[in-house]
Amino acid sequence: MDYVQGLRQIVGTRPLILVGSVAIVLNDKNEILLQQRPDEEWGLPGGLLDLGESLEEAARREVKEETGLDIGELKQLHVFSGPEFYIKVDNGDEFYAVTGVFLSRDITGGQLEADGEESLDVKFFRMDEMPENIKRNYKKYMGPFLEGIKKREI
């Protein structure tokens, strides 16, 4: 049983504060890696921290699990939190997300492949050809940085 499932057995569906990481991964063409999630919307690879794991470790682990790619160097861009990151999932669970957003231009290995569970598809997109159905929170995570990435200021 994982950490969050164990907490849910104790607190039920009441709001929790959950910490996670996402990665903006760029290839050598300055294209951004997105994953299509089971709800068919697109987002960044990422997820919740395991106990004892750092934000950076979680970002690398989640990229590997969800996309098959290994990433090296990470640059922390921002941490998002607050009431606008409140989420209530279909089963009634509630939480406030605290999410570290990282940038990596350092793909060190692996094979690009969707895991079939958390990712239905994984693909690099040109900045001017992003899919329209990107999940709301991921748009917020990427928004402040896309212009800087395009100009290579980040």
Side-chain angles (χ1 to χ4, degrees), residues 75-90:
K75 176 182 181 178
Q76 185 173 356
L77 298 176
H78 196 73
V79 175
F80 289 88
S81 62
E84 66 184 296
F85 296 97
Y86 165 81
I87 297 169
K88 184 172 184 176
V89 293
D90 291 339

Side-chain angles (χ1 to χ4, degrees), residues 19-106:
V19 181
S21 291
V22 296
I24 297 172
V25 179
L26 301 176
N27 64 14
D28 58 353
K29 298 176 187 170
N30 216 31
E31 296 170 324
I32 189 169
L33 177 62
L34 297 177
Q35 68 174 138
Q36 188 177 36
R37 297 191 171 258
D39 62 6
E40 298 191 4
E41 289 188 299
W42 291 86
L44 297 167
L48 299 175
L49 272 66
D50 289 337
L51 283 178
E53 189 175 43
S54 71
L55 288 166
E56 295 85 355
E57 290 167 337
R60 286 186 185 97
R61 175 182 52 79
E62 290 287 349
V63 168
K64 178 64 174 179
E65 289 174 3
E66 296 173 355
T67 74
L69 295 179
D70 298 305
I71 57 173
E73 186 178 333
L74 293 169
K75 176 182 181 178
Q76 185 173 356
L77 298 176
H78 196 73
V79 175
F80 289 88
S81 62
E84 66 184 296
F85 296 97
Y86 165 81
I87 297 169
K88 184 172 184 176
V89 293
D90 291 339
N91 69 1
D93 289 352
E94 299 176 66
F95 66 97
Y96 289 86
V98 177
T99 306
V101 179
F102 293 87
L103 172 67
S104 181
R105 296 178 184 274
D106 188 23

